[in-house]
Amino acid sequence: MVAKKEVFKEAFKNRLLEDITNRWLVGLYDLNDEMLRTSIANVISELCINNDWITSKKDKDRKIHYFSMEFMVGKQLKTNLVNLDILHEVEDVLDEFNIDLKALFDTEIESKTANGGLGRLAFAIMNGTANLNVNACGNGLLYKEGIFEQHFVNGKQIETQDFWFNSEGSYEWKKVQPQLSKVCKLYGEVKTTFVNGKAKFELVDYTPVKGIVHEIPIVGFMNNRINTLRLFESKGLNSKELKQLGLNHFLNNSDVNNRYHNHCEQITDVLYPRDDHHEGKLLRIKQEYFCSSIGLQNIIEEHLRKHKDIYNFHIFNVLHINDTHCSWVVPELMRILLDEFHMEWNDAWHITKNSITYTNHTVLQEALEKWDIHMVQSLLPRIYMIIEEINRRQNETYDKAIIRDNMIITANLLVESAYSVNGVAEIHSDIIKKETFREFNYKYPNKFKNCTNGIEGRKWLLCDGMELADLINNKIGTDWQYDFKKLSALESYADNRQLQNDIAEVKLQYKKELVEYIRETKGLEINPNAMFLTHTKRLHAYKRQSMVALGILDIYHDLLENPNKEVVPKVFIFGAKSAPGYHFAKSTIKVINEIAELINNDERIGDRLKVVFLENYNVTLAEKIIKATDVSIQVPTAGQEASGTGNMKFMMLGALTHATLDGANVEIHDLVSDENMYLFGLRLNEVEELNRQGYNAWQTYNNDPRIKRVFDDLIDGTIPNCYYEGKSVREEILNNDVYYVTKDLPAYLDSMKQIDEDWKKPEIWYKKVIKNIANSGFFDINRNIKDYCSKVWKTPEDIKIFE
Ligand code: NBG
């Protein structure tokens, strides 16, 4: 092993120097960071990835094709080196050249091909499949821009474009695969002809869009498995290609041709273009269909190459649809089987419905997609015909109909077509069975499953929390790195004072690093010994950042009224982007920023309370914040958060959870029980009861002076500079408190007392911390993948083998 590592070091050193010379025509010391990273990625690929990648691609096992509009790739250099087990060797070689590898990690760009938990999960799933040697491939889009970069100007969110590629449009881990390019067809007309009495459908006068395939390797943990993430880029066809297809009218004049190219390229310009107008909606459908079509055409081609026969497609392929965006895979597969392979409807439908699996990620009505049939009819005429025919044959009641009120209900299309539908945490999976898809659950009782989400334990604990991981290694060895469940061995050290102190020490170090970052970016002085309480996730009313903000105002009043009271100093940390057109969320950002301004500058408060809202929350920021957190705030209204995955990361990195019983907080509770987390608030059945009874927030406001005071702060000038936003947050909550902020706020505040009490006794606090870390192994992504393999991706039982 040692000898092998020495050989690798020598080879790496030599090849790196060669690559730098040949690629850049400069010497080692004239490189900038981007050039250096590119050369390193290239040499690592050549020495440790490419051969295994080719072998993995040849795998003929049943293959999982994971379709997702988002994959949050994050920084790759460190994780790849850790997974290939060459981190120290690469570090040594670079040391010889006086290059600091850790500093280089910081310069890496983060891909902007995702926006939140859904995208991070998708990438984690890709990683998990590679770790467990599961044959899998991701299908997504190569956006030039992420959703937006967030800036605060006078406390308000401002959005700017979020380009992410290296200077020449490259990204060091990605390889273009021009031979895999495919064409997807938009608009046009369906020409119907009859051959031997059978109808044949052909799309004519369509607009072709080329999908260029880029591939990113997904490196398994020390197992030689390299899976692939495919990201598609949209382009227009060149004149030769257009002529070959007989589409000469795009060449008639340069205006038409320019418009054609702009139209095509626009498809993969930006993640989630605004869809509050017709053109925006249309663009979203184009993105979704483009991703589905280019992905599927490649999958079919690969299937035929490996298995020869289209009739056994469903035996060898799973088309996993992550949320509803790529539901177009269903009619697209039908179209290909019917129109290109001339199958009978029933055969094509059998293959389709035994290939599709679907994960639902939300029960929020506004997030469940519906598409206007007129739009789909004109953009995708043949696809629309097929959806209509599926709907006709399905012949269902209103609840289950795929088309109703002139809209296509994509979730219904998927639930009807998929052989497995799963939610992402116990409570969520229950809700989709009992509420969201209740009628379908009667019809298909065995279709619904649960696969509680996971996180990349190795990335978060082993890469980002390396020092914490070392403490764990010292106590229980390194077996847990291969099977995170084995972290449970740490539980027997929960009372070990030495370990408790060591963890406290490491956490303090992480907090100091964050303090430094806050000083640099915000010019704010923070006491690292204070308790750090964090709420980082997308801004949404149901996630209740507003409740946390109101809670801070209550603490503020308490401090002013009791200047001599001995208190636990607290720092509240927020990170959240709001959708650009989401009024309430944007107002909440402004309110929190102004509360921060007020409190941080109030000399009477000193460092007993501080509030920090960090701009542009992303993976890189998460890496700094999560490990520096003492209290993880997870407070959605029960029944609203499908799972949450941040909650799992905080737990694994030694934070205690202050939470409502919702999403995967339920599983955290099952694992560590009441005494090792801080639960409060309405339970799901109580929320449901209140929904039935109706609830008047003004009543609570009038009866509870504490509540009244913090709501009035929003409009009575206590918080300067945000009357308008304060008023709108106040009124929106009090007039229609669908997320029960006023109802849960007193319980939220009361439950903080216990947190303070425990914090004052480090032997109690860190005992709980150790118990949390010890039980967090359940959330490692490998467990999640095992769930998918055993419950979802296995071959359906009643599958038909065509002779
Ligand atoms: C999100 C949920 C989270 C969940 C992630 C990943 C969407 C549509 N849903 O609770 O809100 O953790 O999906 O499953 O982004």
Side-chain angles (χ1 to χ4, degrees):
M1 196 67 181
V2 177
K4 220 172 131 190
K5 292 207 156 190
E6 284 309 312
V7 174
F8 165 76
K9 254 164 92 166
E10 206 44 38
F12 175 68
K13 185 170 155 183
N14 295 335
R15 278 294 302 119
L16 185 63
L17 292 173
E18 275 169 30
D19 189 272
I20 290 169
T21 315
N22 297 338
R23 182 182 301 270
W24 306 113
L25 296 175
V26 293
L28 181 64
Y29 299 101
D30 293 320
L31 289 174
N32 63 26
D33 294 330
E34 183 187 313
M35 294 153 92
L36 182 59
R37 284 196 323 266
T38 305
S39 281
I40 293 176
N42 190 54
V43 174
I44 298 293
S45 299
E46 189 185 302
L47 297 177
C48 310
I49 294 182
N50 292 352
N51 280 335
D52 288 336
W53 201 357
I54 294 173
T55 312
S56 302
K57 282 182 176 191
K58 286 185 185 153
D59 190 343
K60 286 186 169 181
D61 261 7
R62 187 169 163 84
K63 186 164 180 178
I64 318 307
H65 306 277
Y66 197 87
F67 281 84
S68 178
M69 290 305 272
E70 297 183 41
F71 286 96
M72 193 175 276
V73 178
K75 296 183 176 186
Q76 284 297 278
L77 182 54
K78 190 173 179 182
T79 10
N80 283 350
L81 298 183
V82 168
N83 285 351
L84 294 163
D85 195 26
I86 51 172
L87 178 68
H88 298 300
E89 289 67 29
V90 169
E91 201 165 20
D92 287 352
V93 170
L94 294 182
D95 257 1
E96 279 182 45
F97 298 143
N98 261 328
I99 294 168
D100 179 359
L101 179 60
K102 291 207 174 78
L104 195 66
F105 289 150
D106 289 339
T107 68
E108 194 179 349
I109 41 166
E110 182 183 311
S111 95
K112 301 293 166 60
T113 44
N115 123 79
L118 178 118
R120 187 67 211 169
L121 178 84
F123 192 71
I125 286 187
M126 283 295 98
N127 267 308
T129 60
N131 290 335
L132 293 178
N133 222 345
V134 175
N135 196 15
C137 179
N139 293 267
L141 295 183
L142 186 74
Y143 308 99
K144 296 183 196 72
E145 287 173 54
I147 192 152
F148 61 81
E149 203 170 278
Q150 180 193 50
H151 306 271
F152 294 149
V153 177
N154 293 329
K156 288 186 183 169
Q157 169 176 299
I158 303 295
E159 303 97 29
T160 58
Q161 288 181 317
D162 195 12
F163 293 106
W164 66 277
F165 289 137
N166 282 332
S167 40
E168 289 308 316
S170 71
Y171 166 60
E172 56 260 28
W173 295 99
K174 149 179 108 46
K175 303 220 176 337
V176 195
Q177 301 283 33
Q179 78 284 6
L180 299 179
S181 296
K182 292 278 170 286
V183 172
C184 108
K185 300 177 181 176
L186 305 178
Y187 298 105
E189 265 179 54
V190 180
K191 205 171 96 191
T192 313
T193 48
F194 287 87
V195 181
N196 298 334
K198 210 178 150 195
K200 267 191 67 183
F201 303 95
E202 192 196 351
L203 194 66
V204 293
D205 287 337
Y206 57 86
T207 303
V209 185
K210 188 195 268 190
I212 300 173
V213 179
H214 300 254
E215 293 191 333
I216 295 176
I218 309 282
V219 179
F221 183 55
M222 288 166 59
N223 66 354
N224 303 89
R225 163 64 78 162
I226 313 287
N227 279 341
T228 307
L229 171 59
R230 282 185 175 160
L231 298 177
F232 313 126
E233 177 194 5
S234 65
K235 272 245 154 46
L237 302 192
N238 63 31
S239 19
K240 194 167 138 218
E241 293 161 330
L242 284 168
K243 274 187 202 148
Q244 266 169 3
L245 291 172
L247 296 166
N248 296 332
H249 57 280
F250 289 110
L251 301 167
N252 279 354
N253 67 54
S254 52
D255 261 7
V256 170
N257 195 251
N258 285 343
R259 243 181 298 147
Y260 162 69
H261 280 282
N262 290 341
H263 170 249
C264 293
E265 278 168 33
Q266 192 197 22
I267 294 178
T268 52
D269 265 352
V270 57
L271 169 66
Y272 296 140
R274 283 187 76 150
D275 65 349
D276 48 6
H277 56 296
H278 179 86
E279 280 304 311
K281 287 195 175 67
L282 204 59
L283 183 54
R284 292 248 188 148
I285 306 180
K286 285 179 199 168
Q287 291 190 323
E288 297 179 356
Y289 176 70
F290 171 77
C291 183
S292 308
S293 174
I294 302 296
L296 195 54
Q297 290 183 55
N298 263 301
I299 292 165
I300 289 178
E301 190 174 87
E302 179 182 329
H303 170 80
L304 290 175
R305 202 168 55 241
K306 287 182 179 166
H307 305 287
K308 311 290 182 248
D309 181 6
I310 192 67
Y311 279 88
N312 59 21
F313 182 82
H314 53 316
I315 316 271
F316 291 104
N317 297 283
V318 179
L319 305 172
H320 191 94
I321 315 297
N322 193 38
D323 229 24
T324 52
H325 311 109
C326 287
S327 55
W328 306 100
V329 165
V330 174
E332 177 69 355
L333 178 58
M334 286 299 284
R335 182 192 69 75
I336 295 175
L337 297 178
L338 294 168
D339 297 357
E340 294 179 19
F341 290 90
H342 312 295
M343 262 186 208
E344 296 297 329
W345 179 278
N346 286 344
D347 292 348
W349 184 239
H350 184 82
I351 291 173
T352 301
K353 77 179 167 57
N354 285 297
S355 303
I356 305 278
T357 53
Y358 158 52
T359 300
N360 171 281
H361 289 270
T362 185
V363 295
L364 291 186
Q365 278 311 312
E366 73 259 27
L368 288 166
E369 289 180 306
K370 296 182 180 78
W371 295 121
D372 183 329
I373 56 166
H374 304 107
M375 219 179 230
V376 179
Q377 253 167 350
S378 92
L379 181 67
L380 304 168
R382 177 65 183 135
I383 291 299
Y384 179 73
M385 284 170 76
I386 291 171
I387 296 176
E388 203 174 38
E389 182 61 13
I390 298 174
N391 182 58
R392 192 187 68 77
R393 288 176 186 243
Q394 181 211 27
N395 189 21
E396 266 304 348
T397 50
Y398 188 84
D399 279 334
K400 299 196 273 306
I402 293 167
I403 300 177
R404 66 176 183 228
D405 303 332
N406 288 334
M407 296 295 229
I408 297 173
I409 315 295
T410 52
N412 286 3
L413 171 64
L414 280 171
V415 179
E416 184 65 41
S417 322
Y419 72 82
S420 163
V421 176
N422 75 283
V424 289
E426 288 289 349
I427 187 172
H428 167 65
S429 298
D430 253 25
I431 294 173
I432 63 174
K433 265 203 317 210
K434 294 188 184 137
E435 291 288 327
T436 323
F437 302 126
R438 189 181 52 226
E439 298 298 321
F440 276 113
N441 188 41
Y442 292 136
K443 185 174 177 189
Y444 303 117
N446 299 324
K447 206 179 252 200
F448 292 86
K449 324 264 163 64
N450 173 56
C451 294
T452 298
N453 279 344
I455 55 171
E456 286 161 83
R458 195 162 294 110
K459 183 215 155 11
W460 293 101
L461 188 49
L462 212 54
C463 293
D464 296 325
M466 226 170 222
E467 299 74 11
L468 200 55
D470 278 345
L471 295 180
I472 299 171
N473 292 341
N474 290 341
K475 285 284 174 273
I476 62 169
T478 55
D479 274 5
W480 63 273
Q481 298 180 9
Y482 302 86
D483 178 1
F484 269 62
K485 268 275 177 71
K486 294 194 174 147
L487 271 177
S488 60
L490 202 64
E491 182 136 11
S492 58
Y493 293 91
D495 286 309
N496 184 308
R497 288 295 292 144
Q498 186 59 45
L499 181 63
Q500 293 180 355
N501 290 338
D502 290 347
I503 292 183
E505 199 57 36
V506 165
K507 291 285 290 184
L508 183 63
Q509 192 47 44
Y510 292 155
K511 288 163 76 173
K512 285 182 178 163
E513 288 165 23
L514 182 61
V515 163
E516 186 55 38
Y517 177 80
I518 293 172
R519 183 182 299 128
E520 276 169 23
T521 52
K522 297 246 155 197
L524 194 66
E525 281 306 321
I526 299 289
N527 171 11
N529 292 305
M531 178 196 281
F532 284 18
L533 307 96
T534 304
H535 191 301
T536 45
K537 41 187 86 247
R538 280 304 293 266
L539 220 145
H540 200 290
Y542 83 80
K543 296 182 191 268
R544 300 200 292 192
Q545 283 92 347
S546 59
M547 188 172 78
V548 181
L550 292 163
I552 293 173
L553 288 171
D554 187 72
I555 299 173
Y556 177 59
H557 286 298
D558 188 42
L559 293 177
L560 290 181
E561 280 164 9
N562 303 291
N564 299 320
K565 187 170 160 187
E566 219 185 284
V567 293
V568 173
K570 294 192 176 75
V571 180
F572 282 88
I573 298 163
F574 293 90
K577 286 183 181 179
S578 154
Y582 187 177
H583 183 70
F584 176 80
K586 285 191 130 175
S587 300
T588 308
I589 291 181
K590 170 75 172 161
V591 167
I592 296 176
N593 273 325
E594 293 303 337
I595 292 177
E597 199 59 27
L598 169 73
I599 295 177
N600 297 344
N601 293 311
D602 189 332
E603 282 170 5
R604 296 168 297 177
I605 300 297
D607 68 2
R608 291 184 297 164
L609 180 62
K610 288 272 181 269
V611 183
V612 186
F613 201 144
L614 291 167
E615 287 171 47
N616 207 35
Y617 185 62
N618 57 16
V619 183
T620 307
L621 252 184
E623 288 165 5
K624 295 187 205 308
I625 297 173
I626 293 177
K627 63 187 179 188
T629 291
D630 300 305
V631 177
S632 150
I633 308 178
Q634 308 292 336
V635 295
T637 318
Q640 297 295 323
E641 186 71 87
S643 159
T645 42
N647 43 4
M648 305 167 185
K649 295 169 197 163
F650 283 105
M651 177 189 186
M652 197 176 269
L653 285 162
L656 301 185
T657 312
H658 190 192
T660 47
L661 204 53
D662 192 30
N665 298 348
V666 175
E667 277 87 336
I668 296 181
H669 180 246
D670 291 346
L671 291 162
V672 300
S673 73
D674 278 346
E675 69 264 27
N676 295 303
M677 71 186 297
Y678 304 96
L679 274 188
F680 73 95
L682 296 168
R683 303 298 196 250
L684 178 60
N685 60 335
E686 294 166 321
V687 167
E688 286 167 349
E689 188 51 40
L690 278 179
N691 286 345
R692 275 189 291 274
Q693 283 174 9
Y695 169 69
N696 184 347
W698 285 106
Q699 232 164 28
T700 316
Y701 165 90
N702 285 322
N703 293 334
D704 187 338
R706 231 170 143 192
I707 300 278
K708 181 169 186 311
R709 182 169 65 178
V710 291
F711 271 99
D712 289 350
D713 285 344
L714 299 176
I715 51 160
D716 66 7
T718 304
I719 315 164
N721 302 325
C722 72
Y723 174 75
Y724 171 74
E725 291 85 359
K727 184 165 182 280
S728 106
V729 168
R730 180 176 184 270
E731 285 179 2
E732 192 148 331
I733 296 176
L734 290 175
N735 288 342
N736 187 18
D737 193 4
V738 284
Y739 297 119
Y740 302 112
V741 172
T742 46
K743 189 82 187 162
D744 271 345
L745 183 55
Y748 167 70
L749 291 170
D750 289 343
S751 56
M752 226 178 276
K753 288 195 195 107
Q754 189 60 44
I755 302 183
D756 284 4
E757 285 313 306
D758 290 351
W759 177 259
K760 286 182 202 152
K761 299 182 211 104
E763 70 283 4
I764 303 275
W765 187 268
Y766 287 100
K767 178 179 176 174
K768 295 184 180 195
V769 166
I770 294 172
K771 287 195 172 186
N772 270 271
I773 298 173
N775 283 288
S776 65
F778 170 79
F779 292 118
D780 182 54
I781 193 68
N782 289 4
R783 190 268 313 148
N784 196 196
I785 297 300
K786 285 181 192 156
D787 285 352
Y788 274 104
C789 288
S790 65
K791 299 184 196 173
V792 173
W793 294 334
K794 61 178 189 193
T795 316
E797 274 147 28
D798 52 354
I799 205 162
K800 177 166 153 192
I801 315 269
F802 292 89
E803 291 308 325

